[in-house]
Structure formats: structure tokens, C-alpha cells
Amino acid sequence: MSLLSIDNLSVNVETSGEERTVLNGLKLQINPGEVHAIMGPNGSGKSTLAHVVARKPGYSIQSGVILLKNQPINEMEPEEVAQLGLFLGFQYPVEIPGVSNMEFLKASSDSVNKARSKEPESTTDFMKRVRSIASSLDLDQEFLKRGVNEGFSGGEKKRNEILQMLVLKPDLAVLDETDSGLDIDALKTVSNGVNAFRDSSNGVLLITHYQRLLDYVVPDFVHVLSEGKIIQSGDKSLALELESKGYAWLT
Amino acid sequence: MEKTSLILATADQRERWKYTKGSDILELFLSASVKQENTVITNAECASIHVGDSGLEIEKIRKQSPIAAFGLRKLGKINKIQIDGNLAEPVTLTQRGQPLPLLIEINDNASCQLHEFVDCEENAAVMTWIKMGENSSLIHARNSFRETGKHWQVTFNELESGASYTMHNHVKGSDTKRQDVLINFTGSDSIAKVISAGIVNKDRKLDLQVICDHSTPRTTSYQRIDHVAFENGSTTFNGRIHILEHASGCNAQLKNRSLAMGSETTINAKPELEIYNDDVQCSHGSTIGQVDETQLFYMRSRGIKEREAHAILCEGFLRETISGPLSASAASNLIPER
Amino acid sequence: MANQSVQDIIDSEKVYEAGFITDVESETLPPGLDENVVRHISKQKNEPEWLTDWRLRAFKSWQNMSPPAWGHIDHPEIDYQEISYYSAPKSQLDGPKSLDEVDPELLATYEKLGIPLHEQAALAGVVQDSKSNNVAVDVVFDSVSITTTFKEKLAEAGVIFCPISEAVQKHPELVKKYLGKVIPQRDNFFAALNSAVFTDGSFVYIPKGVRCPMELSTYFRINERNTGQFERTLIIADEGSHVSYLEGCTAPMRDENQLHAAVVELVALGDAEIKYSTVQNWYPGDAEGRGGIYNFVTKRGLCAGRKAKISWTQIETGSAITWKYPSVILKGDESVGEFYSVALTNNKQQADTGTKMIHIGRDTKSTIIAKGISAGKSDSTYRGLVRISPTASDARNFTQCDSLLIGHECGAHTFPYIESKNSSCVVEHEASTSKVSEDQLFVCQQRGIDAEKAVSIIVNGFCKDVFRELPMEFAVEAGKLLEVSLEGAVG
């Protein structure tokens, strides 16, 4: 069973009263145990893909079906897709003052467990687990009491996304430019987190602008997205070629 | 009975009573059966005296609030508490039924906490005068959660030099619920903070008015007021900062947020600045909105159901102003169930 | 200079440039207001009966109304029977056919005021410079429009820009359709008064889809002693059209206060845009608060159609007393209302001004940026209303009010009213109060800038969000006006 199967996906988005096509016949398949990377110039539709798969409002699917674990998700609510096993690492994680990181994680974890008819983790066990993951990502324990992403630097916000991923244990993690704005140490920490996550049953979709991340999280497949569809696919060497030749080489 | 229009004689007073019927409040003084036992006080001695002997200047009160002056005349007597020294135990006030007005005098250099539970079963007007001596300090926590009946709670504060007053107000809307906090800085270098969290459930009303009169130099006021309105609820907030001509070096801040959590809500906000001195730092901000869409999606992307996400965000909103010694009971009363 | 404090600067007197009087024969009615005066005004203008009746109805309403008392304004009661309601310079009785027929004294007055009538001269006789600004000017002198320039060019585009008295004769169907529809006669005391005795003003009609080829402009003067000026302006932008209108005013020095109660109605149909800018420099009274203009104006725009847009931009530095709230009714879905204002008060001026944004349609948006500068013993108040009706889903408002106080004797006040009856709206309001700090002044002075200029620079910076919205012609004038108004005003 594939984790993610997208066939002939076309998506429109509405900006300032006008509709334009952002994804144009996109095809993609991710199987368990695979790490895929999607690269492409700005405006190619990379973030759109991530948002559409996570069912963010504001996008209209014109054609094509998205299957997550063989279930069509075109009409699902965002929380239903998340409960089914999708995790989206945001490019710009939002701050939620007043709602503590720990409380947010517990609410999320409980919701996902409930949807899968699993018993909720006890608070003590849960907090212990979260603290240990935080520690592995170099996040200060104190932050768990603060508001979600409140007062975090860019690097801390991205590490918080990885923390959430490791706590929630999704089947497919879509990471939208998780590496942007990170210094080399933060990049290594985040990459260690992703590598610790990946196993033979789950999958990762890395959306990235730069090759650099892929030195640390080595992908099985690399795709180039341009003008709303995938125009070239290959293995990790494709990423290296892109870095030396630029996108213009392909488009 | 004198007509409301005569009592609310000035344009300013009519404006202040625009969203709550003054006549509803005036009636409270006429129909109420006042008993001394209606106020239960612990950890402080209380004596009831005639209004005339209290030292309160009725004419001055009439200018600030003609309805309060009317009430004082009708009720004739007032409870008085005198606070001296640094009290280790909080003074608790529990208001049931229509109480007598209350005068709290805090001596110079004294400090204490006041925990007030406004729990009047029927319609009631609770009037409190707080006179704070030099360098005194008071932390006043007030919870008022009755959702039926018509209620008015008015507090008049006078702060002498160096006095410090903090109010943690937690309130639920009712058929009519009006709260007035009038603060006058009679001595320089004094500080007042009013932090308030309020919710209005279906068809309930809340009208909160805070006035800070900076009549002396180097005084500081801070107003932080958040309201949540559920289905058909109505909330009004009027926060006034008044800096008089000789009050230089003052600092006055006001932040007000209103969250519309249901449909058909009515939200009124009027943050006012009346400034007659250029050596001031004043600012205010007032926003009305709903739960943030980006925050909502963030939570749903983590599997949290939409309804629950709304409730969590509403709680997060309220937790910024639920504060002080009575915050635990405030949280359990104000925060909606998930 | 380095030791000159802000207080020193404020103590010096400001000179009012435009303070002079023209000696022109003028036919003025004796003071007093009754039904006969109303009929006389209507007859002087040869108005059709429907309009005379309209005026009389307004007069009757006015008699039963009283002036508003809630403004933060302190002024002696105005005796409406002590004012003359009509004054026309005699040589205009037959109406000029061209500039040559205009009283030369009048033209000299306009020269002194720097009104660009010479632009018409350029078109008439001199080779046209393609870089010169195209501004059509409708000049009003004490109640009667003198001349309207650029009529032909506008006529080509189908734009009607003429005195309202002319529009009543030539385009009665348009006037009848819209007059009093945005501001009904009974709206308030001054609107009722104006509706009864209005003498002249501008009428503008932009046809469907037309972008008015030039900025339209009107200048006013109040000249005669004890004459109130009651101009009435009506601007209609039909679907998809666009117009920018500039209103600039000056008035001579007088000892008695003079009343100015104008009414401006704007109607923007679907996809149309009206930009209305005012640079107002009425005589503010002397340092003791004597003389000066009482400026009580009702201005309102109606966004009648979908995606209509109306912007008010105002720079107010004159008037003894200002009472005006240019407003926008956002009826059409997705319509937009904007209000940008700088109000400067000095000496003993009082201003109570602001705006009302009434959201009725869906997805409407309003922006309010108001800057108040108070100096001397003046008092400046911002009063704003943002009202979201139950039907106005997804309404958005952003308001920013800032006050700058110069000195210890002035006042700056902000009274915003926010009333929302729709749960999906987002309203954000911020206000702050500050002063020109001695530190900021010193920095400028340390860099060689004199104190007065320094204050002017700082104040300009404070106002830049608003100046940015002015049409270029006015932006320069506004900056200069602020500098003149601040001369000696600082403090």
C-alpha cells in the first residue's frame, strides 16, 4: 500500500478576486520507507502542494485524487487528514500565546489516539516522553510551559515542528522548507530528528529550496517541480546537478 | 422617584449610560431590602455608620456618578472597614442580596489583599469606596459570576502618594451587568492596574467602564481588559484615560481585546483619551475579532477537532487576563468546557 | 538658537498670510433668516419650483432643531438671525462669459491667493506646456461661482463640472436624483440650515467608465462681514469611473466670527472611485481667540455599488472652531472607505473632528489614519465611529490616531466609538499621544537646523502617512501650510 498517491492533480487558488492555477497535472507516489525531496524555483507550487495535502482552506481542487494510505482525502477536514496519519511541518509556524506547548501537544496526541481508537497516554508518561524528545532537539524544558512558539527564534520554531512530529508519530511527514533560516548547528539537529523518525513503515516528503539539507537527510527520490507539475525525477544526484547548474537547466 | 433623565443630566452621563439602562440601576435602590448581613466580611472589623459621618463628599460623588450619589442618599448608611499595618491574611468579602455600601480606608503604609465574591442572588447594587493612604498597597481580586438578574458593581478608588492598587476582575455577563471602576490619583507617584477577564454567554450582557483620572504628576495606570462574547451575547467596554493639566510625567496604557465566539454578538468598545499635558506617555489599543484562522489551522493540522481547537484558543485568549489570587476559581467559571 | 526652548518658540506670533480684505461692491442681504430670505435666494438663482419647495421644507425642519451640544467645544452661542445669508459681488449679477468680464479686483484677489487661474490664461493664449498640471478650477467668491475653467476639455470626456446653480438648470434630473440622498435635510442642524440657504458650490458628474482626465478643484473665500458661507457640493461617480477632487480654502481676517456650514455629498456607484482632498486654512482667530471662522461641515460619501471606493484626505489648519466628520457609508459589497487627516490647532483654536465608517454590505473595508497636532492653548479632538451592522459580514477596519502635543497648555483627545453587531468582523484601533521632545529638537539643532525648521521636520514626519495620500498638487502646499501654521505655533 502506498502512503501517498497523487494522480493528475490540478489546483486553483484565489488571490485578490482572481483565480489562478498553481498545480497543473501533478503526479507523485510515496511508498513506506521512502524519503522524497521536492525542489523547484519560487512560485513553482511547492508550498501549495504541502497545503493541499494537509487540506488547508483556500485551495480548490479542479481535478485529480489524493490518496493517503489508499483513502481519498480530497474532501476531508484538516484534522481528519492529521488523524489519518499526515503531519505538516510549517514553513512559517504561527505563535499561539496563552496556549502552552505542552497543553497543545497533549490535546493533539489525545485527538489522534482517540481517532485511532487507542487509549490516551497518561499525562505523566506523555510529559516524560515529550521532555526526552525536547532534550534530543536541544530545546530547553522551560519552553514547554510557554505559549506555542511564543518568543521563539526561527531555528527554535523549526525544531518545535520536528518535536511535534516525533511526538505524534505520523505515517507521512510533509516538511515545508524546514531548513530555511537555519544555521549549520540547527540544521544538523533538525536533520538528526528527521533521521531518527524515518523507518521502513513511514515516509517523509521534504520540500526544500537548497541542496544542503539533503546532505544530512539523504533522499531516495528527488523531484523538480516547475509551473505546477513535476518535470524531472531522479535520485540524490539530481539535487547535486541542480545545485551546480541551477533550475534554468531544466525549465 | 426622580426621573432618570434628571439624574443623568449631563450629555457626558447620558453617554456613559448609553448601553445600560440607568433606570434599571436606580430601581435597585428602591426595591432592595438591605440587610447588614448581606455582606460577610472576614479578617477585618466592620462598623456601619451614617453616610454623613463617613467623610465621603456627596457633591464630588454626584459629579462622578449621579446614580451612586442617589444610591447613597437612599440607603443612608455605609459599612466601614479600616486597614492598618501589613495584613497576612486576605480580607474576604462575600456579597449576598442587596448590601450596604462599603468604605474601605487603608492607612498610610498599610498593605493587604481583598478577595471579593459578588454572589447576590437577586438584583443588587454593590458600591465600594476605597481610600488608600500614602505608600499603601492593595491587591483586589473580584469574582462576579451570577448570570441572572440585574447587577451593578461600582468601585471608587482614591490613591494618595505612592499608593499601589491592582484589581483582578473576573466577571460573567447577566441579564444586566454593569461594572464601573473610577480611579482618581490624588497623590503623585501612585499606580493603578485593572486587569479584567469577562465572558458573556447566550443573551447575556456586560458593560464595563473604567475611568482613570490622573490629577497628579508621575502617576501610572494600566488597563488590560479582555471580553469573550458567545452566541447573542453583548459586551461593552469603555476605558477612559484623563490626564489633567498639571499632571506631568504620567504613564497610561490601555489594551482591550474582544473575541466574538458565536454569531449575532454585539460588541461595543470605546477607549478614550483626554489629555491636557504634553509630558505624558499614553497609548491605547482596542481590537475586535474572532479566533485566528492561522492558529486554528495549525491546531487542526495536528489532528485537533475544529470545535475543540476553538475552545482551546478561547481558553488561551482568556488566560492572558485571568490572574491574581482568585484565578483558579475564575478559570473554572470562565473557561468554556471542551 | 541652541538654547531656545520649545516654549520660547511658541511665544512668538504667527502671521496669517491670507489676511486681507477685498473692497468690492457687493449686494448683501440684511441679517436675519426667515422664509422670505429663503425664497429670495431661490429667486436670485432662478431655481425651479421643486428646489424652492425643497429649501422651504428644509427651513421648516431647521426651525424645529437645535444645534448639537455634545462636541468637546466651547463657544458663545451663535445668533442665526445676526448673519446675512446672501452676498454676491455686483458685477457678477449677469454672469461672466469669459475671464475678461470678471472684475479685475477679483482677479487680483485670486492672484494674491496664488490660485492658478493663470493656468487658464496659459491655455487661452500661450503655448501649452505638456508638463503643466491639469487642474480645473471652479472659483467661488462669497456665494457665487465666478468662473469654471477647462470646461471644454472635460466636456470631451463627458465630465460635468460646474457650479451647482448651473447644474440645477442644465442637469436637473441628476441633481434631483441625488441631492439630499446622502445627507438628508433632517440629518443635523447645520445640514438643515445649509439645505435651506445654500448658495452655490460644485457639481460633478463622471459618466460610466470614465477616468476624469484632470484633478478638479475649488477655492472658497468668505469675504463680507457677517456673511455665513453655505456651499453645497454634489459629486457623482457613475459605474467604473474615477475622480480626484481638491478643495482648498482661505479667508480674510475679521473681528467677528464667521459661520461656514457646508454640505458635501459624494456618491460612488459600482467600481467607481472618488478621492476628495481638502487643504483648509480658514482664518483661525488671533492669539486671544478673537475673530476666526466657525467651520461646521457635514460631509458624507455613499459607496452605493459593489467595490465602490471613497477616500477623504484632509489637512486642517485654520478655523476658530472646526466641527466636521467626513464619513463613508459602505453599502455596496466589497466597498472601501478611507479617511486620512491632519488637524493642527494653535492659540485658542478648537477642533472636534473625525469620521464615521458605517459598514453595511459584505466584505467592506475601512481605514482611518488621523493625526492631531495641538499647540498654544488649543484643543484638538478626534471623534470616530466605526459601526458594523448585522449585515456587514467579514468587515475590516483599521484605525490609527496619534496626537502630538506641543506645550503644557493644549489638549489632545481621542474618542473612538466602535459598535459591532456582526461576529465576523475584525476591528483594530490604536492611539498614542506624544510630544516633540527636547531630545529630538536638540539632535536637529546639533546638526545645524534651526529650531523652527526642526519642529517642522519632526511634525512633517509625524504626518507623513497622511501627506502620502494627498494628490501631488496639494502635498507641497500642505507641507508649506504646516510650516506657516507652525511658525511661532510650536510649544
Side-chain angles (χ1 to χ4, degrees):
Chain A
M1 176 183 75
S2 76
L3 283 174
L4 182 71
S5 176
I6 302 177
D7 192 23
N8 197 28
L9 182 68
S10 288
V11 173
N12 285 1
V13 76
E14 198 188 293
T15 22
S16 320
E18 278 175 31
E19 267 205 22
R20 49 182 191 96
T21 305
V22 263
L23 293 181
N24 198 3
L26 187 131
K27 230 170 106 82
L28 179 66
Q29 178 147 323
I30 300 179
N31 294 319
E34 291 175 358
V35 173
H36 292 240
I38 292 200
M39 307 178 76
N42 284 331
S44 53
K46 306 196 296 295
S47 277
T48 302
L49 175 60
H51 289 160
V52 170
V53 171
R55 296 294 298 139
K56 184 176 177 189
Y59 298 93
S60 72
I61 298 177
Q62 302 295 307
S63 70
V65 181
I66 308 171
L67 296 173
L68 180 69
K69 287 159 64 175
N70 276 0
Q71 286 187 51
I73 64 168
N74 287 30
E75 304 292 317
M76 277 191 188
E77 298 294 335
E79 56 266 39
E80 289 175 323
V81 177
Q83 288 159 8
L84 186 52
L86 179 91
F87 178 85
L88 171 63
F90 284 80
Q91 185 176 5
Y92 303 109
V94 75
E95 296 190 20
I96 313 181
V99 179
S100 76
N101 279 295
M102 184 60 90
E103 184 194 340
F104 170 64
L105 279 168
K106 187 72 174 39
S108 166
S109 173
D110 287 350
S111 299
V112 171
N113 281 336
K114 186 166 176 204
R116 296 174 182 187
S117 308
K118 280 162 81 173
E119 281 300 309
E121 237 174 309
S122 84
T123 312
T124 352
D125 287 342
F126 181 74
M127 284 175 71
K128 216 160 142 195
R129 186 161 73 89
V130 170
R131 289 209 173 97
S132 131
I133 295 171
S135 183
S136 75
L137 290 168
D138 275 333
L139 282 165
D140 182 1
Q141 304 289 311
E142 277 310 296
F143 97 95
L144 290 166
K145 295 186 199 155
R146 298 211 312 256
V148 177
N149 293 320
E150 197 177 8
F152 281 19
S153 68
E156 281 169 329
K157 283 184 183 171
K158 294 294 170 75
R159 278 181 276 150
N160 194 16
E161 295 294 288
I162 302 300
L163 171 92
Q164 291 170 32
M165 179 186 79
L166 293 170
V167 169
L168 295 174
K169 297 191 270 199
D171 296 303
L172 177 66
V174 177
L175 304 179
D176 189 1
E177 305 227 11
T178 300
D179 56 331
S180 74
L182 295 184
D183 62 32
I184 203 72
D185 289 325
L187 182 63
K188 282 187 191 167
T189 309
V190 161
S191 305
N192 287 342
V194 179
N195 286 330
F197 168 74
R198 65 193 283 192
D199 64 28
S200 54
S201 65
N202 61 30
V204 179
L205 177 59
L206 296 168
I207 294 174
T208 180
H209 210 59
Y210 299 106
Q211 199 288 110
R212 191 181 61 150
L213 171 67
L214 307 179
D215 286 339
Y216 297 94
V217 182
V218 181
D220 303 303
F221 299 96
V222 174
H223 311 277
V224 180
L225 187 62
S226 172
E227 287 180 0
K229 52 150 75 88
I230 291 176
I231 56 169
Q232 179 93 342
S233 297
D235 64 16
K236 59 189 186 212
S237 60
L238 176 57
L240 290 163
E241 266 202 274
L242 273 175
E243 186 170 58
S244 63
K245 294 183 185 170
Y247 289 114
W249 162 57
L250 280 179
T251 54
Chain B
M1 160 166 119
E2 290 151 70
K3 282 171 64 175
T4 317
S5 54
L6 285 175
I7 293 173
L8 298 178
T10 62
D12 179 58
Q13 281 300 324
R14 284 195 298 276
E15 185 60 38
R16 300 228 162 272
W17 289 91
K18 189 172 163 187
Y19 302 103
T20 298
K21 284 201 345 221
S23 53
D24 282 351
I25 308 300
L26 286 170
E27 266 176 39
L28 297 178
F29 296 112
L30 302 172
S31 51
S33 68
V34 185
K35 299 186 201 116
Q36 177 146 22
E37 327 58 281
N38 281 340
T39 305
V40 177
I41 303 174
T42 69
N43 296 325
E45 292 296 316
C46 173
S48 110
I49 56 177
H50 286 290
V51 168
D53 298 328
S54 66
L56 291 177
E57 297 165 51
I58 303 295
E59 266 321 294
K60 189 170 159 198
I61 292 169
R62 191 193 311 282
K63 288 206 180 82
Q64 292 173 298
S65 172
I67 295 184
F70 177 87
L72 272 179
R73 262 201 351 262
K74 281 283 170 214
L75 299 176
K77 290 181 94 175
I78 187 165
N79 273 333
K80 181 170 165 179
I81 296 176
Q82 194 95 27
I83 309 269
D84 198 15
N86 298 314
L87 298 194
E89 292 296 314
V91 173
T92 73
L93 285 179
T94 311
Q95 315 275 14
R96 300 220 163 91
Q98 173 60 48
L100 278 178
L102 176 63
L103 169 61
I104 303 175
E105 284 187 1
I106 304 184
N107 290 352
D108 292 355
N109 303 308
S111 75
C112 78
Q113 281 196 12
L114 182 62
H115 297 186
E116 186 177 358
F117 304 93
V118 183
D119 200 22
C120 316
E121 295 93 5
E122 315 118 13
N123 308 338
V126 178
M127 305 197 291
T128 312
W129 278 262
I130 301 176
K131 294 194 176 214
M132 297 185 60
E134 291 189 11
N135 302 312
S136 61
S137 131
L138 175 63
I139 294 181
H140 181 185
R142 178 173 72 186
N143 286 3
S144 165
F145 300 137
R146 282 275 168 183
E147 287 187 271
T148 49
K150 300 182 184 177
H151 300 273
W152 186 38
Q153 288 124 37
V154 59
T155 319
F156 296 83
N157 295 60
E158 276 182 14
L159 280 73
E160 290 291 333
S161 263
S164 161
Y165 175 73
T166 303
M167 180 190 239
H168 300 275
N169 185 51
H170 306 113
V171 56
K172 270 177 148 174
S174 177
D175 295 306
T176 295
K177 190 165 286 189
R178 166 80 180 222
Q179 294 188 323
D180 285 76
V181 181
L182 295 94
I183 297 175
N184 191 351
F185 297 92
T186 51
S188 58
D189 302 286
S190 41
I191 302 175
K193 292 188 193 163
V194 178
I195 303 160
S196 177
I199 68 167
V200 270
N201 281 320
K202 192 168 191 302
D203 299 326
R204 301 273 155 267
K205 292 201 182 99
L206 171 62
D207 183 352
L208 171 58
Q209 313 243 342
V210 180
I211 297 179
C212 291
D213 279 322
H214 291 256
S215 27
T216 44
R218 297 181 306 280
T219 48
T220 303
S221 68
Y222 174 74
Q223 298 177 43
R224 178 82 175 83
I225 313 287
D226 284 351
H227 286 167
V228 180
F230 292 96
E231 178 101 24
N232 247 21
S234 162
T235 105
T236 298
F237 171 62
N238 186 338
R240 181 167 146 83
I241 292 173
H242 181 197
I243 313 260
L244 283 78
E245 203 180 318
H246 301 293
S248 36
C250 292
N251 187 329
Q253 311 289 325
L254 188 160
K255 183 170 170 189
N256 161 240
R257 301 182 308 165
S258 296
L259 180 66
M261 281 292 290
S263 60
E264 325 250 337
T265 57
T266 298
I267 297 177
N268 301 312
K270 194 156 73 125
E272 295 178 27
L273 285 173
E274 190 167 346
I275 318 272
Y276 294 98
N277 186 301
D278 68 334
D279 184 14
V280 295
Q281 270 183 290
C282 289
S283 70
H284 72 210
S286 181
T287 59
I288 299 177
Q290 312 78 47
V291 148
D292 182 272
E293 288 294 327
T294 320
Q295 293 175 343
L296 192 61
F297 179 65
Y298 193 68
M299 303 196 88
R300 293 174 78 186
S301 77
R302 301 306 185 241
I304 300 169
K305 285 207 174 83
E306 189 175 6
R307 229 177 96 95
E308 192 184 340
H310 266 109
I312 294 176
L313 290 171
C314 177
E315 179 177 340
F317 178 87
L318 283 167
R319 284 215 178 267
E320 291 202 30
T321 39
I322 294 178
S323 54
L326 299 181
S327 56
S329 112
S332 60
N333 269 280
L334 294 179
I335 291 171
E337 305 233 340
R338 294 207 193 158
Chain C
M1 240 338 174
N3 289 330
Q4 196 176 21
S5 71
V6 170
Q7 190 56 49
D8 291 341
I9 298 165
I10 201 187
D11 288 342
S12 36
E13 276 279 302
K14 154 191 152 172
V15 173
Y16 184 71
E17 269 189 0
F20 58 91
I21 296 155
T22 304
D23 215 355
V24 165
E25 277 185 49
S26 134
E27 190 210 278
T28 309
L29 281 182
L33 179 57
D34 59 17
E35 215 180 274
N36 290 328
V37 171
V38 177
R39 285 187 194 281
H40 179 87
I41 293 171
S42 196
K43 184 151 167 277
Q44 283 293 311
K45 296 170 154 305
N46 281 325
E47 286 174 355
E49 213 180 313
W50 65 264
L51 190 51
T52 313
D53 285 341
W54 194 82
R55 287 181 183 270
L56 288 168
R57 276 203 306 278
F59 176 67
K60 283 204 166 59
S61 297
W62 180 75
Q63 288 182 306
N64 294 327
M65 296 170 86
S66 45
W70 49 269
H72 201 267
I73 289 178
D74 188 23
H75 65 85
E77 253 187 68
I78 298 172
D79 186 347
Y80 295 92
Q81 297 303 332
E82 284 300 309
I83 302 171
S84 159
Y85 290 89
Y86 187 79
S87 162
K90 280 210 166 101
S91 70
Q92 303 320 311
L93 283 179
D94 296 333
K97 306 290 184 299
S98 71
L99 265 186
D100 294 340
E101 293 186 24
V102 177
D103 192 319
E105 263 251 30
L106 272 176
L107 288 180
T109 301
Y110 291 123
E111 275 288 335
K112 268 193 231 172
L113 285 176
I115 290 169
L117 265 184
H118 67 275
E119 297 220 28
Q120 214 229 19
L123 211 152
V126 182
V127 171
Q128 193 176 4
D129 179 0
S130 60
K131 286 203 209 112
S132 71
N133 290 325
N134 270 328
V135 181
V137 177
D138 176 35
V139 176
V140 178
F141 186 102
D142 276 345
S143 311
V144 174
S145 285
I146 304 306
T147 182
T148 307
T149 56
F150 283 80
K151 261 195 169 144
E152 290 82 31
K153 194 162 181 198
L154 293 175
E156 263 176 64
V159 169
I160 304 169
F161 175 40
C162 63
I164 204 162
S165 49
E166 189 182 314
V168 168
Q169 308 296 340
K170 294 200 180 141
H171 311 281
E173 69 300 334
L174 278 175
V175 176
K176 223 176 175 176
K177 186 170 177 187
Y178 292 107
L179 187 72
K181 294 299 188 296
V182 187
I183 297 168
Q185 295 173 340
R186 296 188 58 83
D187 188 272
N188 67 72
F189 181 81
F190 297 110
L193 179 60
N194 178 288
S195 300
V197 301
F198 78 87
T199 44
D200 220 327
S202 293
F203 176 83
V204 176
Y205 174 79
I206 317 288
K208 285 200 201 343
V210 170
R211 196 180 178 83
C212 189
M214 61 193 60
E215 257 147 3
L216 307 180
S217 160
T218 295
Y219 276 82
F220 298 101
R221 282 271 289 176
I222 292 181
N223 199 23
E224 284 292 322
R225 217 166 255 265
N226 273 339
T227 307
Q229 177 124 356
F230 303 97
E231 77 269 8
R232 182 121 193 161
T233 296
L234 178 57
I235 299 180
I236 303 153
D238 213 327
E239 284 173 16
S241 68
H242 181 287
V243 62
S244 171
Y245 183 91
L246 321 177
E247 177 198 317
C249 322
T250 68
M253 257 186 211
R254 282 296 180 189
D255 271 346
E256 304 85 30
N257 297 313
Q258 297 183 77
L259 176 63
H260 182 230
V263 166
V264 175
E265 293 178 282
L266 308 182
V267 181
L269 299 180
D271 283 300
E273 184 176 337
I274 301 176
K275 196 173 163 66
Y276 192 104
S277 311
T278 308
V279 174
Q280 193 260 85
N281 183 26
W282 294 116
Y283 178 59
D286 64 13
E288 299 315 308
R290 274 194 305 264
I293 303 289
Y294 285 175
N295 192 17
F296 299 131
V297 180
T298 308
K299 284 177 166 170
R300 193 171 308 154
L302 172 64
C303 284
R306 195 159 169 262
K307 293 193 176 175
K309 180 171 169 188
I310 291 178
S311 312
W312 297 100
T313 303
Q314 61 179 33
I315 312 290
E316 306 269 329
T317 64
S319 282
I321 296 181
T322 303
W323 183 89
K324 59 191 289 220
Y325 312 97
S327 307
V328 185
I329 300 175
L330 299 162
K331 190 164 162 214
D333 293 341
E334 296 177 72
S335 52
V336 173
E338 295 175 343
F339 175 77
Y340 302 101
S341 160
V342 166
L344 174 78
T345 54
N346 189 18
N347 295 317
K348 286 201 167 162
Q349 284 177 288
Q350 300 174 70
D352 194 313
T353 175
T355 182
K356 298 184 199 173
M357 294 290 175
I358 316 288
H359 293 251
I360 299 175
R362 287 182 300 103
D363 294 298
T364 52
K365 188 168 159 217
S366 59
T367 305
I368 299 170
I369 298 186
K371 306 270 180 182
I373 304 157
S374 314
K377 295 187 178 148
S378 68
D379 227 55
S380 174
T381 299
Y382 165 82
R383 196 178 300 271
L385 171 65
V386 175
R387 178 177 290 154
I388 317 275
S389 353
T391 50
S393 14
D394 299 301
R396 296 280 174 276
N397 164 269
F398 174 74
T399 304
Q400 172 128 23
C401 305
D402 296 319
S403 304
L404 188 64
L405 286 156
I406 308 182
H408 303 307
E409 294 176 290
C410 51
H413 321 299
T414 307
F415 300 123
Y417 300 70
I418 304 166
E419 293 174 356
S420 159
K421 286 197 153 54
N422 187 298
S423 301
S424 61
C425 72
V426 175
V427 176
E428 289 170 12
H429 170 95
E430 282 167 30
S432 69
T433 307
S434 57
K435 63 172 181 168
V436 173
S437 77
E438 301 283 350
D439 290 344
Q440 289 172 325
L441 256 191
F442 180 64
V443 164
C444 291
Q445 289 174 292
Q446 212 292 309
R447 301 295 188 254
I449 302 168
D450 73 57
E452 270 181 15
K453 182 87 186 144
V455 168
S456 167
I457 291 173
I458 292 165
V459 170
N460 251 279
F462 178 74
C463 299
K464 72 174 189 300
D465 287 339
V466 176
F467 282 176
R468 198 168 42 207
E469 296 300 322
L470 285 175
M472 215 167 52
E473 282 82 10
F474 266 8
V476 172
E477 190 176 327
K480 275 196 277 176
L481 183 58
L482 228 54
E483 231 177 274
V484 168
S485 303
L486 278 173
E487 258 171 43
V490 174

